[in-house]
Amino acid sequence: MRSVEWHQGFVRLVDQRFLPGELRLLELERPEQVAQAIRDMAVRGAPAIGATAGFGLALAAWHSPARSQATLLHDLQQAADLLRSARPTAVNLAGAVERVMRRVAAEENVERIRQVALDEAQAIADEEVARNHRLGRIGAELVADGATILHHCHTGALATVDYGTALGVVRAAHEQGKHVHVLVDETRPLLQGARLTAWELQQLGIPFTLIADNAAGHFLRTGQVNLVLVGADRVAANGDVVNKIGTYKLAVVARENAVPFYACVPTSTIDLSIADGDAIPIEERPAEEVTGLTLLGRPVAPEGVAVANPAFDVTPCRYVTGIVTENGVAYPPYAESLPRIVSAANGRDS
Ligand code: RUB
């Protein structure tokens, strides 16, 4: 099953907050609920929130009482603004919203607008899944039999509609019969690694070991890691990679220890309109995500402490060995390789 889909006039998604304990589904009927689910991270991961926002616009179109083209487009614009503002960093979200809005703008009656909004949202979701399968096959060529792979955050089926990006590479290598072992960063503060990556790998029967984020440097320095694979929420034109907080530290320590570091992203995550990572907005999330953890039933931090909680960081392109996409692996200089890969992918999708 897909992590997000259109189901009988609703957006149905796996509520990622309840995993690994419970596989709970959410059925959403209004775009406001979709925006809330993205903000609260019931659905998360760059490709998944893009697809979800696309379906959120389809909901807005299907449930709006508008009878004229102008009123329906006005309602859709309001929903688009709401959805786009739900989370700022992953380009897939704004990209999906813009894509649906571009398509409906050309339509002249309400029935067509409703149908086109849904068709386009469905196409976005389907394309993500197809990209992931291609990306997985391409990335698996970089994985040697017997490799130990360090992975940060969660980039599996839940984060990407289906199959996965960096975890899709691991999955493809495993499906090809290679023996792989994954060191799973727990990924504080929201523990996407411990909760979601560990759960998915367990479901797939792929061997892994869960480690505290702070242990990653130790495993890299002692020669126990062959490859670091991560996803990304946005890749800038120069190859800077914006991904889950903590990725930068991993990339620097990987370079120090001559371990290859790859970002695995569908081309929908590459933003050629942004020159470098510093121009990408970094989401700041609520303090409670850091202080809310309890040990022995007690909060881990004193009440009222000041907290900083940036959700992402920038890994400068000089630390990135390559960027694996569904259209091949981009290598430095990224300012030359990324445009080639993106335009070839656009040609394939159109
Ligand atoms: C998600 C995150 C993931 C990428 C994966 O952050 O950082 O690594 O989104 O994307 P959050 P992709 O949990 O805050 O949404 O699979 O495209 O590489």
mmCIF file of all heavy atoms in Angstrom, residues 30 45 48 66 87 148 156 167 182 239 251 258-259 300-301 331 346:
data_model
loop_
_atom_site.group_PDB
_atom_site.id
_atom_site.type_symbol
_atom_site.label_atom_id
_atom_site.label_comp_id
_atom_site.label_asym_id
_atom_site.label_seq_id
_atom_site.Cartn_x
_atom_site.Cartn_y
_atom_site.Cartn_z
ATOM 1 N N ARG A 30 -10.687 17.795 3.879
ATOM 2 C CA ARG A 30 -10.563 19.229 3.572
ATOM 3 C C ARG A 30 -9.082 19.593 3.442
ATOM 4 O O ARG A 30 -8.243 19.036 4.143
ATOM 5 C CB ARG A 30 -11.195 20.070 4.681
ATOM 6 C CG ARG A 30 -12.716 19.877 4.824
ATOM 7 C CD ARG A 30 -13.342 21.012 5.624
ATOM 8 N NE ARG A 30 -12.542 21.392 6.786
ATOM 9 C CZ ARG A 30 -12.587 20.778 7.948
ATOM 10 N NH1 ARG A 30 -13.395 19.759 8.134
ATOM 11 N NH2 ARG A 30 -11.814 21.176 8.945
ATOM 12 N N GLY A 45 8.542 13.570 4.827
ATOM 13 C CA GLY A 45 9.415 13.076 3.758
ATOM 14 C C GLY A 45 9.092 13.892 2.520
ATOM 15 O O GLY A 45 7.917 14.069 2.167
ATOM 16 N N ALA A 48 6.736 12.542 -0.308
ATOM 17 C CA ALA A 48 5.391 12.236 0.216
ATOM 18 C C ALA A 48 4.607 13.517 0.497
ATOM 19 O O ALA A 48 3.399 13.574 0.220
ATOM 20 C CB ALA A 48 5.494 11.382 1.486
ATOM 21 N N ALA A 66 -18.134 25.815 -5.521
ATOM 22 C CA ALA A 66 -18.090 26.809 -6.614
ATOM 23 C C ALA A 66 -18.768 26.294 -7.882
ATOM 24 O O ALA A 66 -18.639 25.123 -8.240
ATOM 25 C CB ALA A 66 -16.626 27.160 -6.910
ATOM 26 N N ARG A 87 5.046 23.608 5.205
ATOM 27 C CA ARG A 87 6.454 23.396 5.568
ATOM 28 C C ARG A 87 7.293 24.038 4.464
ATOM 29 O O ARG A 87 7.003 23.862 3.287
ATOM 30 C CB ARG A 87 6.800 21.896 5.687
ATOM 31 C CG ARG A 87 6.104 21.216 6.868
ATOM 32 C CD ARG A 87 6.665 19.826 7.112
ATOM 33 N NE ARG A 87 7.964 19.858 7.757
ATOM 34 C CZ ARG A 87 8.723 18.768 7.940
ATOM 35 N NH1 ARG A 87 8.326 17.593 7.478
ATOM 36 N NH2 ARG A 87 9.881 18.862 8.567
ATOM 37 N N THR A 148 28.388 -2.261 4.469
ATOM 38 C CA THR A 148 27.675 -1.665 5.608
ATOM 39 C C THR A 148 27.388 -0.215 5.246
ATOM 40 O O THR A 148 28.292 0.537 4.862
ATOM 41 C CB THR A 148 28.517 -1.742 6.896
ATOM 42 O OG1 THR A 148 28.683 -3.120 7.225
ATOM 43 C CG2 THR A 148 27.825 -1.038 8.044
ATOM 44 N N GLY A 156 12.348 5.878 3.265
ATOM 45 C CA GLY A 156 11.724 4.685 2.711
ATOM 46 C C GLY A 156 10.377 4.963 2.083
ATOM 47 O O GLY A 156 10.040 6.113 1.737
ATOM 48 N N LEU A 167 16.776 4.632 1.032
ATOM 49 C CA LEU A 167 16.392 3.274 1.444
ATOM 50 C C LEU A 167 15.943 2.442 0.244
ATOM 51 O O LEU A 167 16.009 1.216 0.273
ATOM 52 C CB LEU A 167 15.293 3.312 2.509
ATOM 53 C CG LEU A 167 15.761 3.605 3.944
ATOM 54 C CD1 LEU A 167 14.583 3.564 4.914
ATOM 55 C CD2 LEU A 167 16.845 2.635 4.408
ATOM 56 N N VAL A 182 22.636 -2.262 7.457
ATOM 57 C CA VAL A 182 22.412 -0.817 7.600
ATOM 58 C C VAL A 182 22.641 -0.400 9.048
ATOM 59 O O VAL A 182 22.109 -1.031 9.972
ATOM 60 C CB VAL A 182 20.970 -0.431 7.183
ATOM 61 C CG1 VAL A 182 20.807 1.088 7.184
ATOM 62 C CG2 VAL A 182 20.641 -0.993 5.798
ATOM 63 N N GLY A 239 24.781 21.885 -5.978
ATOM 64 C CA GLY A 239 24.961 20.561 -5.374
ATOM 65 C C GLY A 239 24.930 20.561 -3.856
ATOM 66 O O GLY A 239 25.067 19.501 -3.238
ATOM 67 N N ALA A 251 28.422 14.022 6.900
ATOM 68 C CA ALA A 251 29.168 14.177 5.647
ATOM 69 C C ALA A 251 30.608 14.589 5.923
ATOM 70 O O ALA A 251 31.539 14.097 5.268
ATOM 71 C CB ALA A 251 28.477 15.216 4.761
ATOM 72 N N ALA A 258 37.402 9.158 4.503
ATOM 73 C CA ALA A 258 37.414 8.666 3.110
ATOM 74 C C ALA A 258 36.287 7.672 2.834
ATOM 75 O O ALA A 258 36.466 6.713 2.075
ATOM 76 C CB ALA A 258 38.772 8.067 2.766
ATOM 77 N N VAL A 259 35.131 7.889 3.452
ATOM 78 C CA VAL A 259 33.953 7.051 3.184
ATOM 79 C C VAL A 259 33.051 7.817 2.214
ATOM 80 O O VAL A 259 32.703 8.970 2.473
ATOM 81 C CB VAL A 259 33.183 6.738 4.495
ATOM 82 C CG1 VAL A 259 31.898 5.965 4.196
ATOM 83 C CG2 VAL A 259 34.076 5.968 5.456
ATOM 84 N N VAL A 300 13.294 15.161 29.917
ATOM 85 C CA VAL A 300 14.758 15.122 29.961
ATOM 86 C C VAL A 300 15.385 16.485 30.259
ATOM 87 O O VAL A 300 16.542 16.554 30.630
ATOM 88 C CB VAL A 300 15.353 14.585 28.634
ATOM 89 C CG1 VAL A 300 15.065 13.117 28.459
ATOM 90 C CG2 VAL A 300 14.852 15.380 27.433
ATOM 91 N N ALA A 301 14.637 17.557 30.079
ATOM 92 C CA ALA A 301 15.220 18.889 30.277
ATOM 93 C C ALA A 301 14.446 19.648 31.345
ATOM 94 O O ALA A 301 13.246 19.413 31.527
ATOM 95 C CB ALA A 301 15.174 19.667 28.959
ATOM 96 N N TYR A 331 27.887 13.840 -10.613
ATOM 97 C CA TYR A 331 29.155 14.017 -9.901
ATOM 98 C C TYR A 331 29.597 15.470 -10.062
ATOM 99 O O TYR A 331 29.145 16.165 -10.982
ATOM 100 C CB TYR A 331 30.212 13.072 -10.476
ATOM 101 C CG TYR A 331 29.939 11.616 -10.130
ATOM 102 C CD1 TYR A 331 29.398 10.740 -11.076
ATOM 103 C CD2 TYR A 331 30.222 11.124 -8.856
ATOM 104 C CE1 TYR A 331 29.140 9.406 -10.748
ATOM 105 C CE2 TYR A 331 29.961 9.785 -8.523
ATOM 106 C CZ TYR A 331 29.422 8.942 -9.472
ATOM 107 O OH TYR A 331 29.147 7.643 -9.143
ATOM 108 N N ASN A 346 13.153 15.756 -17.220
ATOM 109 C CA ASN A 346 11.932 16.478 -17.644
ATOM 110 C C ASN A 346 11.466 15.970 -18.989
ATOM 111 O O ASN A 346 10.279 15.805 -19.241
ATOM 112 C CB ASN A 346 12.174 17.987 -17.711
ATOM 113 C CG ASN A 346 12.316 18.561 -16.310
ATOM 114 O OD1 ASN A 346 11.937 17.908 -15.338
ATOM 115 N ND2 ASN A 346 12.868 19.746 -16.206
#
